[in-house]
mmCIF file with all atom_site columns, all heavy atoms in Angstrom:
data_model
loop_
_atom_site.group_PDB
_atom_site.id
_atom_site.type_symbol
_atom_site.label_atom_id
_atom_site.label_alt_id
_atom_site.label_comp_id
_atom_site.label_asym_id
_atom_site.label_entity_id
_atom_site.label_seq_id
_atom_site.pdbx_PDB_ins_code
_atom_site.Cartn_x
_atom_site.Cartn_y
_atom_site.Cartn_z
_atom_site.occupancy
_atom_site.B_iso_or_equiv
_atom_site.pdbx_formal_charge
_atom_site.auth_seq_id
_atom_site.auth_comp_id
_atom_site.auth_asym_id
_atom_site.auth_atom_id
_atom_site.pdbx_PDB_model_num
ATOM 1   N N   . SER A 1 89  ? -90.737 -37.679 2.097   1.00 73.00 ? 239 SER A N   1
ATOM 2   C CA  . SER A 1 89  ? -91.583 -38.736 1.629   1.00 73.00 ? 239 SER A CA  1
ATOM 3   C C   . SER A 1 89  ? -93.024 -38.028 1.317   1.00 73.00 ? 239 SER A C   1
ATOM 4   O O   . SER A 1 89  ? -94.002 -38.338 2.006   1.00 73.00 ? 239 SER A O   1
ATOM 5   C CB  . SER A 1 89  ? -91.773 -39.802 2.665   1.00 73.00 ? 239 SER A CB  1
ATOM 6   O OG  . SER A 1 89  ? -90.539 -40.441 2.892   1.00 73.00 ? 239 SER A OG  1
ATOM 7   N N   . PHE A 1 90  ? -93.113 -37.293 0.243   1.00 78.00 ? 240 PHE A N   1
ATOM 8   C CA  . PHE A 1 90  ? -94.324 -36.601 -0.099  1.00 78.00 ? 240 PHE A CA  1
ATOM 9   C C   . PHE A 1 90  ? -95.210 -37.482 -1.021  1.00 78.00 ? 240 PHE A C   1
ATOM 10  O O   . PHE A 1 90  ? -96.401 -37.500 -0.956  1.00 78.00 ? 240 PHE A O   1
ATOM 11  C CB  . PHE A 1 90  ? -94.141 -35.176 -0.642  1.00 78.00 ? 240 PHE A CB  1
ATOM 12  C CG  . PHE A 1 90  ? -93.522 -34.246 0.237   1.00 78.00 ? 240 PHE A CG  1
ATOM 13  C CD1 . PHE A 1 90  ? -92.442 -33.501 -0.182  1.00 78.00 ? 240 PHE A CD1 1
ATOM 14  C CD2 . PHE A 1 90  ? -93.970 -34.132 1.531   1.00 78.00 ? 240 PHE A CD2 1
ATOM 15  C CE1 . PHE A 1 90  ? -91.844 -32.572 0.675   1.00 78.00 ? 240 PHE A CE1 1
ATOM 16  C CE2 . PHE A 1 90  ? -93.324 -33.218 2.450   1.00 78.00 ? 240 PHE A CE2 1
ATOM 17  C CZ  . PHE A 1 90  ? -92.308 -32.444 2.006   1.00 78.00 ? 240 PHE A CZ  1
ATOM 18  N N   . SER A 1 91  ? -94.459 -38.192 -1.916  1.00 83.00 ? 241 SER A N   1
ATOM 19  C CA  . SER A 1 91  ? -95.227 -39.049 -2.894  1.00 83.00 ? 241 SER A CA  1
ATOM 20  C C   . SER A 1 91  ? -94.447 -40.282 -3.220  1.00 83.00 ? 241 SER A C   1
ATOM 21  O O   . SER A 1 91  ? -93.202 -40.275 -3.117  1.00 83.00 ? 241 SER A O   1
ATOM 22  C CB  . SER A 1 91  ? -95.537 -38.304 -4.126  1.00 83.00 ? 241 SER A CB  1
ATOM 23  O OG  . SER A 1 91  ? -94.319 -38.143 -4.987  1.00 83.00 ? 241 SER A OG  1
ATOM 24  N N   . TYR A 1 92  ? -95.116 -41.290 -3.567  1.00 84.00 ? 242 TYR A N   1
ATOM 25  C CA  . TYR A 1 92  ? -94.510 -42.597 -3.878  1.00 84.00 ? 242 TYR A CA  1
ATOM 26  C C   . TYR A 1 92  ? -93.660 -42.509 -5.113  1.00 84.00 ? 242 TYR A C   1
ATOM 27  O O   . TYR A 1 92  ? -92.509 -43.025 -5.254  1.00 84.00 ? 242 TYR A O   1
ATOM 28  C CB  . TYR A 1 92  ? -95.577 -43.598 -4.115  1.00 84.00 ? 242 TYR A CB  1
ATOM 29  C CG  . TYR A 1 92  ? -95.021 -44.973 -4.441  1.00 84.00 ? 242 TYR A CG  1
ATOM 30  C CD1 . TYR A 1 92  ? -94.534 -45.878 -3.358  1.00 84.00 ? 242 TYR A CD1 1
ATOM 31  C CD2 . TYR A 1 92  ? -94.903 -45.392 -5.649  1.00 84.00 ? 242 TYR A CD2 1
ATOM 32  C CE1 . TYR A 1 92  ? -93.989 -47.114 -3.732  1.00 84.00 ? 242 TYR A CE1 1
ATOM 33  C CE2 . TYR A 1 92  ? -94.395 -46.682 -6.056  1.00 84.00 ? 242 TYR A CE2 1
ATOM 34  C CZ  . TYR A 1 92  ? -93.910 -47.502 -5.039  1.00 84.00 ? 242 TYR A CZ  1
ATOM 35  O OH  . TYR A 1 92  ? -93.428 -48.731 -5.305  1.00 84.00 ? 242 TYR A OH  1
ATOM 36  N N   . ILE A 1 93  ? -94.127 -41.811 -6.121  1.00 85.00 ? 243 ILE A N   1
ATOM 37  C CA  . ILE A 1 93  ? -93.450 -41.519 -7.502  1.00 85.00 ? 243 ILE A CA  1
ATOM 38  C C   . ILE A 1 93  ? -92.045 -40.951 -7.229  1.00 85.00 ? 243 ILE A C   1
ATOM 39  O O   . ILE A 1 93  ? -91.048 -41.361 -7.907  1.00 85.00 ? 243 ILE A O   1
ATOM 40  C CB  . ILE A 1 93  ? -94.253 -40.792 -8.449  1.00 85.00 ? 243 ILE A CB  1
ATOM 41  C CG1 . ILE A 1 93  ? -95.578 -41.488 -8.747  1.00 85.00 ? 243 ILE A CG1 1
ATOM 42  C CG2 . ILE A 1 93  ? -93.471 -40.513 -9.693  1.00 85.00 ? 243 ILE A CG2 1
ATOM 43  C CD1 . ILE A 1 93  ? -95.437 -42.794 -9.404  1.00 85.00 ? 243 ILE A CD1 1
ATOM 44  N N   . GLU A 1 94  ? -91.969 -39.922 -6.396  1.00 82.00 ? 244 GLU A N   1
ATOM 45  C CA  . GLU A 1 94  ? -90.758 -39.244 -6.165  1.00 82.00 ? 244 GLU A CA  1
ATOM 46  C C   . GLU A 1 94  ? -89.678 -40.133 -5.527  1.00 82.00 ? 244 GLU A C   1
ATOM 47  O O   . GLU A 1 94  ? -88.478 -40.035 -5.706  1.00 82.00 ? 244 GLU A O   1
ATOM 48  C CB  . GLU A 1 94  ? -90.929 -38.022 -5.272  1.00 82.00 ? 244 GLU A CB  1
ATOM 49  C CG  . GLU A 1 94  ? -91.614 -36.853 -5.937  1.00 82.00 ? 244 GLU A CG  1
ATOM 50  C CD  . GLU A 1 94  ? -91.928 -35.764 -4.941  1.00 82.00 ? 244 GLU A CD  1
ATOM 51  O OE1 . GLU A 1 94  ? -91.974 -36.023 -3.734  1.00 82.00 ? 244 GLU A OE1 1
ATOM 52  O OE2 . GLU A 1 94  ? -92.052 -34.546 -5.420  1.00 82.00 ? 244 GLU A OE2 1
ATOM 53  N N   . ASN A 1 95  ? -90.140 -41.027 -4.681  1.00 83.00 ? 245 ASN A N   1
ATOM 54  C CA  . ASN A 1 95  ? -89.218 -41.927 -3.993  1.00 83.00 ? 245 ASN A CA  1
ATOM 55  C C   . ASN A 1 95  ? -89.066 -43.365 -4.635  1.00 83.00 ? 245 ASN A C   1
ATOM 56  O O   . ASN A 1 95  ? -88.441 -44.182 -4.049  1.00 83.00 ? 245 ASN A O   1
ATOM 57  C CB  . ASN A 1 95  ? -89.698 -42.129 -2.522  1.00 83.00 ? 245 ASN A CB  1
ATOM 58  C CG  . ASN A 1 95  ? -89.510 -40.807 -1.761  1.00 83.00 ? 245 ASN A CG  1
ATOM 59  O OD1 . ASN A 1 95  ? -88.446 -40.213 -1.727  1.00 83.00 ? 245 ASN A OD1 1
ATOM 60  N ND2 . ASN A 1 95  ? -90.734 -40.357 -1.234  1.00 83.00 ? 245 ASN A ND2 1
ATOM 61  N N   . MET A 1 96  ? -89.731 -43.519 -5.733  1.00 85.00 ? 246 MET A N   1
ATOM 62  C CA  . MET A 1 96  ? -89.661 -44.902 -6.341  1.00 85.00 ? 246 MET A CA  1
ATOM 63  C C   . MET A 1 96  ? -88.313 -45.413 -6.672  1.00 85.00 ? 246 MET A C   1
ATOM 64  O O   . MET A 1 96  ? -87.998 -46.595 -6.459  1.00 85.00 ? 246 MET A O   1
ATOM 65  C CB  . MET A 1 96  ? -90.539 -44.922 -7.572  1.00 85.00 ? 246 MET A CB  1
ATOM 66  C CG  . MET A 1 96  ? -90.824 -46.371 -7.940  1.00 85.00 ? 246 MET A CG  1
ATOM 67  S SD  . MET A 1 96  ? -92.168 -46.555 -9.127  1.00 85.00 ? 246 MET A SD  1
ATOM 68  C CE  . MET A 1 96  ? -91.349 -46.185 -10.644 1.00 85.00 ? 246 MET A CE  1
ATOM 69  N N   . PRO A 1 97  ? -87.295 -44.594 -7.122  1.00 85.00 ? 247 PRO A N   1
ATOM 70  C CA  . PRO A 1 97  ? -85.971 -45.198 -7.287  1.00 85.00 ? 247 PRO A CA  1
ATOM 71  C C   . PRO A 1 97  ? -85.358 -45.832 -6.041  1.00 85.00 ? 247 PRO A C   1
ATOM 72  O O   . PRO A 1 97  ? -84.693 -46.839 -6.206  1.00 85.00 ? 247 PRO A O   1
ATOM 73  C CB  . PRO A 1 97  ? -85.124 -43.968 -7.723  1.00 85.00 ? 247 PRO A CB  1
ATOM 74  C CG  . PRO A 1 97  ? -86.137 -43.068 -8.400  1.00 85.00 ? 247 PRO A CG  1
ATOM 75  C CD  . PRO A 1 97  ? -87.352 -43.249 -7.573  1.00 85.00 ? 247 PRO A CD  1
ATOM 76  N N   . ALA A 1 98  ? -85.689 -45.346 -4.922  1.00 83.00 ? 248 ALA A N   1
ATOM 77  C CA  . ALA A 1 98  ? -85.169 -45.962 -3.746  1.00 83.00 ? 248 ALA A CA  1
ATOM 78  C C   . ALA A 1 98  ? -85.860 -47.280 -3.348  1.00 83.00 ? 248 ALA A C   1
ATOM 79  O O   . ALA A 1 98  ? -85.393 -48.085 -2.629  1.00 83.00 ? 248 ALA A O   1
ATOM 80  C CB  . ALA A 1 98  ? -85.246 -44.926 -2.522  1.00 83.00 ? 248 ALA A CB  1
ATOM 81  N N   . PHE A 1 99  ? -87.116 -47.430 -3.892  1.00 88.00 ? 249 PHE A N   1
ATOM 82  C CA  . PHE A 1 99  ? -87.982 -48.616 -3.640  1.00 88.00 ? 249 PHE A CA  1
ATOM 83  C C   . PHE A 1 99  ? -87.670 -49.803 -4.657  1.00 88.00 ? 249 PHE A C   1
ATOM 84  O O   . PHE A 1 99  ? -88.200 -50.842 -4.368  1.00 88.00 ? 249 PHE A O   1
ATOM 85  C CB  . PHE A 1 99  ? -89.425 -48.292 -3.658  1.00 88.00 ? 249 PHE A CB  1
ATOM 86  C CG  . PHE A 1 99  ? -89.782 -47.284 -2.650  1.00 88.00 ? 249 PHE A CG  1
ATOM 87  C CD1 . PHE A 1 99  ? -90.884 -46.408 -2.818  1.00 88.00 ? 249 PHE A CD1 1
ATOM 88  C CD2 . PHE A 1 99  ? -89.165 -47.155 -1.376  1.00 88.00 ? 249 PHE A CD2 1
ATOM 89  C CE1 . PHE A 1 99  ? -91.301 -45.557 -1.846  1.00 88.00 ? 249 PHE A CE1 1
ATOM 90  C CE2 . PHE A 1 99  ? -89.558 -46.326 -0.414  1.00 88.00 ? 249 PHE A CE2 1
ATOM 91  C CZ  . PHE A 1 99  ? -90.577 -45.516 -0.656  1.00 88.00 ? 249 PHE A CZ  1
ATOM 92  N N   . VAL A 1 100 ? -86.933 -49.549 -5.719  1.00 93.00 ? 250 VAL A N   1
ATOM 93  C CA  . VAL A 1 100 ? -86.817 -50.566 -6.780  1.00 93.00 ? 250 VAL A CA  1
ATOM 94  C C   . VAL A 1 100 ? -86.133 -51.867 -6.165  1.00 93.00 ? 250 VAL A C   1
ATOM 95  O O   . VAL A 1 100 ? -86.566 -52.940 -6.516  1.00 93.00 ? 250 VAL A O   1
ATOM 96  C CB  . VAL A 1 100 ? -85.907 -49.954 -7.934  1.00 93.00 ? 250 VAL A CB  1
ATOM 97  C CG1 . VAL A 1 100 ? -85.482 -51.075 -8.834  1.00 93.00 ? 250 VAL A CG1 1
ATOM 98  C CG2 . VAL A 1 100 ? -86.751 -48.958 -8.663  1.00 93.00 ? 250 VAL A CG2 1
ATOM 99  N N   . PRO A 1 101 ? -85.161 -51.777 -5.337  1.00 93.00 ? 251 PRO A N   1
ATOM 100 C CA  . PRO A 1 101 ? -84.529 -53.066 -4.837  1.00 93.00 ? 251 PRO A CA  1
ATOM 101 C C   . PRO A 1 101 ? -85.571 -53.863 -4.048  1.00 93.00 ? 251 PRO A C   1
ATOM 102 O O   . PRO A 1 101 ? -85.678 -55.110 -4.114  1.00 93.00 ? 251 PRO A O   1
ATOM 103 C CB  . PRO A 1 101 ? -83.445 -52.565 -3.963  1.00 93.00 ? 251 PRO A CB  1
ATOM 104 C CG  . PRO A 1 101 ? -83.028 -51.304 -4.394  1.00 93.00 ? 251 PRO A CG  1
ATOM 105 C CD  . PRO A 1 101 ? -84.235 -50.650 -4.907  1.00 93.00 ? 251 PRO A CD  1
#
Side-chain angles (χ1 to χ4, degrees):
S239 298
F240 297 133
S241 73
Y242 181 81
I243 297 298
E244 289 175 334
N245 292 306
M246 197 164 79
F249 296 152
V250 168

